[in-house]
């Protein structure tokens, strides 16, 4: 019989705090409702800044409440709850900017998805490998799970972001409606299959090799009352995010263009905002020598970004008749190829050091630099 894992009281208290409802996760959605009712985003510069702060707080609150609900319902449905909540936030920000009149936003979905991939594959993974390597030297993880995630990620990234440049039905980096619908369905199939493999059929591929399970696995889920409260506040937070994003989108987009910066930077900002909570969780896990957990969070976020965001944006584009450019430029294809190739090599033997972390961070720095200075 396996030895029972004893969770320290300090870890239990920390987990309990994370799975309950901190005051700020309740305050920001309520402030968001007030900001919408009073049209705070239209009250000059101070109002716009305040609305942006409330929007960021509401996004973080929504993700927290989604985590509470996800922990209560368990796997595999918990993973889907969290992924759907994050996707709603990301799609609402993208569509709000696509509907604004400040510049051509037809490529915003592409820029956001590509930015998310670059942030995850290079910044988050690089930061986790560097932080874990500095503290623990060499770190290990289960190779089969990471290889499966990279396999699915490469397929979805190429089908969504590269192939549109080489189709003949339409000119430019776009898909014909039938092609767009096909890619949306394929992305959903790939993501759904990965979730099933990760949470049901081959869970052992994604568990730490030779280590005890994370403390989360041994913690009691939140009560029904806490879960239902989190679900209710989650719905309010999602509505706040959608409406505040719609109100702020013309101002933010005009400010980016007015500063002489490329519109692609908006995609980077959206991706960074949506990925912030999971990025922090992945970084903390790596510092605690749980690299497997870090990679699960990071690569799972990348797969959800393509597997759910692309289909959602595609459906919105087809229904509302919005133009949608998905094909990335030659420069971006080069960065994507390098990122996938380096990730395959650095995560190809189940062991990492600080060297791989530095390489990933350098690639991210190059991506960020050529985005600001194209």
């Amino acid at each position: 019989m396996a030895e029972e894992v004893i969770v320290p009281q300090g870890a239990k208290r920390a987990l309990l705090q994370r799975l309950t409802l901190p005051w700020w996760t309740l305050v920001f959605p309520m402030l968001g409702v007030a900001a919408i009712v009073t049209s705070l985003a239209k009250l000059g510069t101070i109002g716009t800044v305040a609305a942006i702060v409330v929007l960021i707080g509401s996004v973080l609150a929504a993700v927290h409440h989604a985590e509470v609900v996800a922990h209560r319902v368990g796997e595999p449905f918990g993973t889907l709850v969290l992924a759907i909540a994050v996707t709603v936030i990301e799609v609402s920000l993208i569509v709000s900017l696509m509907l604004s009149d400040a510049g051509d936003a037809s490529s915003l979905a592409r820029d956001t998805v590509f930015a998310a991939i670059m942030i995850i594959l290079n910044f988050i993974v690089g930061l986790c490998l560097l932080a874990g390597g500095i503290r623990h030297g060499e770190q290990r993880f289960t190779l089969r799970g990471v290889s499966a995630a990279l396999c699915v990620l490469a397929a979805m990234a190429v089908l969504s972001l590269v192939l549109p440049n080489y189709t003949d039905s339409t000119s430019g980096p776009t898909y014909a409606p039938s092609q767009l619908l096909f890619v949306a369905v394929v992305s959903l199939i790939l993501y759904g299959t990965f979730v099933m493999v990760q949470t049901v059929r081959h869970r052992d591929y994604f568990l730490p090799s030779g280590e005890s399970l994370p403390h989360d696995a041994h913690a009691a889920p939140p009560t029904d009352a806490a879960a239902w409260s989190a679900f209710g506040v989650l719905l309010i937070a999602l509505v706040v995010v959608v409406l505040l994003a719609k109100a702020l989108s013309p101002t933010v987009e005009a400010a980016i263009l007015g500063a002489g910066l490329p519109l692609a930077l908006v995609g980077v900002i959206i991706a960074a905002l949506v990925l912030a909570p999971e990025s922090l969780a992945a970084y903390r896990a790596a510092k605690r020598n749980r690299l497997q957990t870090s990679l699960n969070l990071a690569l799972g976020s990348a797969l959800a970004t393509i597997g759910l965001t692309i289909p959602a944006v595609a459906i919105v584009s087809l229904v509302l008749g919005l133009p949608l450019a998905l094909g990335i430029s030659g420069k971006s294809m080069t960065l994507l190829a390098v990122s996938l190739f380096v990730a395959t090599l650095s995560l190809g033997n189940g062991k990492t050091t600080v060297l791989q972390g530095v390489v990933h961070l350098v690639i991210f720095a190059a991506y960020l630099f050529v985005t600001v200075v194209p």
Side-chain angles (χ1 to χ4, degrees), residues 41 52 58 79 109 127 137 174 185 225 252 310 317:
I52 291 174
S58 298
T79 299
L127 187 63
T174 60
V185 172
V252 172
I310 289 293
S317 173

Side-chain angles (χ1 to χ4, degrees), residues 183-255:
V183 169
V185 172
V186 168
S187 297
L188 283 174
I189 291 174
L190 286 172
Y191 180 70
T193 305
F194 175 80
V195 170
M196 180 191 67
V197 168
Q198 183 185 36
T199 59
V200 180
R201 290 189 62 89
H202 300 286
R203 291 187 62 191
D204 55 309
Y205 288 5
F206 302 88
L207 296 179
S209 177
E211 300 177 14
S212 59
L213 291 173
H215 294 157
D216 297 31
H218 306 282
T223 63
D224 288 340
W228 278 110
S229 299
F231 181 72
V233 181
L234 170 62
L235 294 180
I236 296 174
L238 292 177
V239 172
V240 166
V241 169
V242 172
L243 296 181
L244 270 183
K246 182 179 179 180
L248 285 168
S249 57
T251 303
V252 172
E253 198 167 275

Side-chain angles (χ1 to χ4, degrees), residues 104 142 167 169 215 236 247 291 325 361:
D104 179 19
T142 304
T167 55
S169 298
H215 294 157
I236 296 174
L291 186 59
L361 289 174

Side-chain angles (χ1 to χ4, degrees), residues 124-143 209 211 282-295 346-357:
I124 298 178
V125 171
L127 187 63
C128 290
L129 298 186
L130 180 62
I134 290 175
R135 174 166 291 192
H136 305 287
E138 183 180 85
Q139 290 186 296
R140 296 175 180 269
F141 58 90
T142 304
L143 182 59
S209 177
E211 300 177 14
Y283 171 74
R284 288 174 174 172
K287 290 189 68 175
R288 294 196 300 268
N289 202 23
R290 292 178 183 162
L291 186 59
Q292 182 68 52
T293 301
S294 294
L295 295 177
S346 62
L347 303 176
N349 61 2
K351 298 180 291 185
T352 62
T353 64
V354 294
L355 176 60
Q356 289 96 328

Side-chain angles (χ1 to χ4, degrees), residues 66-79:
E67 287 179 342
V68 174
V69 176
H71 190 72
R72 183 66 185 91
V73 301
E75 298 296 349
F77 302 106
T79 299

Side-chain angles (χ1 to χ4, degrees), residues 73-368:
V73 301
E75 298 296 349
F77 302 106
T79 299
L80 294 177
V81 168
L82 182 57
I84 290 173
V86 171
T87 301
V88 169
I89 295 171
E90 189 170 19
V91 172
S92 66
L93 294 172
I94 293 172
V95 174
S96 296
L97 288 170
M98 290 176 66
L99 292 172
S100 68
D101 298 325
D104 179 19
S106 62
S107 61
L108 186 60
R110 173 197 68 192
D111 295 336
T112 302
V113 170
F114 180 63
I117 294 173
M118 297 303 293
I119 290 173
I120 291 167
L121 277 185
N122 294 308
F123 178 71
I124 298 178
V125 171
L127 187 63
C128 290
L129 298 186
L130 180 62
I134 290 175
R135 174 166 291 192
H136 305 287
E138 183 180 85
Q139 290 186 296
R140 296 175 180 269
F141 58 90
T142 304
L143 182 59
R144 289 174 295 181
V146 172
S147 297
L150 287 176
C151 175
V152 177
L153 179 60
M156 288 200 299
V158 172
L159 290 175
S160 300
L161 302 177
V162 177
L163 188 59
N165 291 321
Y166 301 102
T167 55
D168 298 327
S169 298
T170 59
S171 59
T174 60
Y175 273 134
S178 60
Q179 295 170 333
L180 186 59
L181 185 60
F182 173 79
V183 169
V185 172
V186 168
S187 297
L188 283 174
I189 291 174
L190 286 172
Y191 180 70
T193 305
F194 175 80
V195 170
M196 180 191 67
V197 168
Q198 183 185 36
T199 59
V200 180
R201 290 189 62 89
H202 300 286
R203 291 187 62 191
D204 55 309
Y205 288 5
F206 302 88
L207 296 179
S209 177
E211 300 177 14
S212 59
L213 291 173
H215 294 157
D216 297 31
H218 306 282
T223 63
D224 288 340
W228 278 110
S229 299
F231 181 72
V233 181
L234 170 62
L235 294 180
I236 296 174
L238 292 177
V239 172
V240 166
V241 169
V242 172
L243 296 181
L244 270 183
K246 182 179 179 180
L248 285 168
S249 57
T251 303
V252 172
E253 198 167 275
I256 294 290
L257 296 174
L261 297 172
L263 193 59
L265 192 60
V266 179
V268 178
I269 295 173
I270 293 176
L273 176 62
V274 173
L275 294 172
E278 289 176 299
S279 303
L280 182 59
Y283 171 74
R284 288 174 174 172
K287 290 189 68 175
R288 294 196 300 268
N289 202 23
R290 292 178 183 162
L291 186 59
Q292 182 68 52
T293 301
S294 294
L295 295 177
N296 287 345
L297 286 168
L299 298 179
S301 299
L303 292 172
T305 296
I306 303 180
L308 296 178
T309 301
I310 289 293
V313 173
I315 292 173
V316 171
S317 173
L318 293 172
V319 172
L320 300 181
L322 299 175
L324 184 62
L326 289 179
I328 56 179
S329 65
K331 174 184 65 179
S332 297
M333 281 191 284
T334 302
L335 288 169
L336 177 62
V338 170
S339 299
L340 290 171
F341 180 69
V342 170
T344 303
L345 292 179
S346 62
L347 303 176
N349 61 2
K351 298 180 291 185
T352 62
T353 64
V354 294
L355 176 60
Q356 289 96 328
V358 171
V359 173
H360 282 280
L361 289 174
V362 167
I363 295 174
F364 177 75
Y367 156 72
L368 200 59

